[in-house]
Amino acid sequence: MKIPVLEIFGPTIQGEGMVIGRKTMFVRTAGCDYSCSWCDSKFTWDGSEKSNIQMMGPEEIWHRLTEQGGDRFGHVTISGGNPALLAHLNELVDLLHKKNIKVALETQGSKWQTWFTSIDDLTLSPKPPSSGMKTNFEILDQIIDGLRRDQKGTFSLKVVIFDQDDLKYAINLHQRYPDVEFFLQVGNDDLETMDNEKLLGQMLRQYEQLIDQVMESNVLKDVRVLPQLHTYLWGNKRGV
């Protein structure tokens, strides 16, 4: 079975979530079941780069990873779009593990795959109200129950915050799953600018505001508040 791949790049650092700062390679798959208003990778699902999708088998992906990263990596992040749409992605995960490579993956938690339990660093990132999407909590409950029961690696929840409604959503989510490691992260609401200095100043102010709000909360006690690290370093540049 082939996997629809749009980008393979790295090594670089992971800019988000539970393994922020981790040296990693990236495999970005095409296709998503969501269409978030502020998505920073719309090209994976809006058809604008349909002609750039490459259908690749696991061995082809491994060859491309080593062609680009050589022997300088021990971790691969699979992103999208939503890679959880690919039922056969376990073939790539299994191959990477055979090569002694750890695997991270992020999904919004809209679809369960049995191979989730083999992911070393699994991030569930349900989308808050500002995205325009609606969380199916019945499915998310099933996913988290399955991970609690069978997960071999680690998993966490992450919510990107743009406004007060998003923060309320995050509070409710944390109360629903209080035992799951929980991350809050500032969202980038200016995906067009190439003025990195302006973007950095804006995101630092938003990060400080989010920290202040979390410090005042009597519910968000056991959480981590993250920047979007890759944006701080490279702005809206792709492939880094």
Side-chain angles (χ1 to χ4, degrees):
M1 297 288 288
K2 300 286 188 178
I3 296 166
V5 176
L6 265 171
E7 293 182 315
I8 295 177
F9 61 92
T12 184
I13 60 164
Q14 172 58 259
E16 303 183 350
M18 64 193 296
V19 288
I20 189 169
R22 176 76 186 256
K23 184 179 181 180
T24 190
M25 295 288 292
F26 275 87
V27 176
R28 188 184 298 280
T29 62
C32 194
D33 50 335
Y34 277 19
S35 54
C36 297
S37 60
W38 38 250
C39 180
D40 61 1
S41 51
K42 287 184 179 181
F43 60 91
T44 62
W45 51 263
D46 67 3
S48 61
E49 295 199 17
K50 185 176 180 180
S51 62
N52 293 327
I53 297 172
Q54 298 180 64
M55 302 304 296
M56 304 175 70
E59 289 286 353
E60 293 176 277
I61 293 173
W62 173 248
H63 176 73
R64 185 73 63 82
L65 285 165
T66 55
E67 186 178 59
Q68 184 152 336
D71 61 355
R72 295 174 290 129
F73 68 97
H75 189 271
V76 169
T77 298
I78 304 172
S79 63
N82 183 11
L85 298 178
L86 304 171
H88 56 288
L89 198 61
N90 63 294
E91 296 174 11
L92 175 60
V93 175
D94 290 345
L95 175 62
L96 291 170
H97 282 157
K98 287 178 183 176
K99 303 292 186 179
N100 295 316
I101 304 296
K102 290 191 174 182
V103 182
L105 184 139
E106 180 170 324
T107 175
Q108 58 261 44
S110 60
K111 186 173 178 61
W112 165 258
Q113 296 289 358
T114 55
W115 49 258
F116 278 3
T117 59
S118 297
I119 300 296
D120 300 286
D121 306 304
L122 179 64
T123 297
L124 302 175
S125 185
K127 305 311 177 188
S130 63
S131 70
M133 301 293 104
K134 188 173 181 180
T135 301
N136 186 324
F137 281 102
E138 183 177 348
I139 293 175
L140 189 57
D141 286 347
Q142 292 171 358
I143 291 172
I144 289 180
D145 285 346
L147 293 172
R148 283 171 173 154
R149 190 172 55 247
D150 298 320
Q151 180 69 358
K152 299 180 182 69
T154 58
F155 76 98
S156 65
L157 283 162
K158 183 193 79 177
V159 180
V160 180
I161 305 297
F162 286 86
D163 57 33
Q164 288 299 311
D165 287 339
D166 289 355
L167 190 59
K168 291 177 185 176
Y169 172 91
I171 289 170
N172 291 334
L173 195 72
H174 186 46
Q175 290 176 313
R176 190 181 186 99
Y177 312 110
D179 60 318
V180 180
E181 192 170 15
F182 196 70
F183 295 85
L184 299 178
Q185 182 177 297
V186 174
N188 177 8
D189 58 8
D190 188 355
L191 299 173
E192 302 300 324
T193 184
M194 291 292 114
D195 185 339
N196 290 355
E197 187 174 341
K198 175 186 174 184
L199 181 61
L200 175 59
Q202 180 176 311
M203 293 202 71
L204 282 171
R205 287 190 294 273
Q206 292 170 342
Y207 184 37
E208 183 178 12
Q209 289 169 6
L210 179 58
I211 289 173
D212 289 343
Q213 291 171 326
V214 172
M215 296 309 107
E216 291 298 317
S217 172
N218 61 3
V219 175
L220 298 172
K221 298 176 182 178
D222 189 20
V223 303
R224 300 186 193 185
V225 188
L226 302 180
Q228 196 179 68
L229 188 56
H230 58 284
T231 306
Y232 285 20
L233 295 171
W234 299 297
N236 288 318
K237 184 179 179 181
R238 273 177 57 180
V240 290

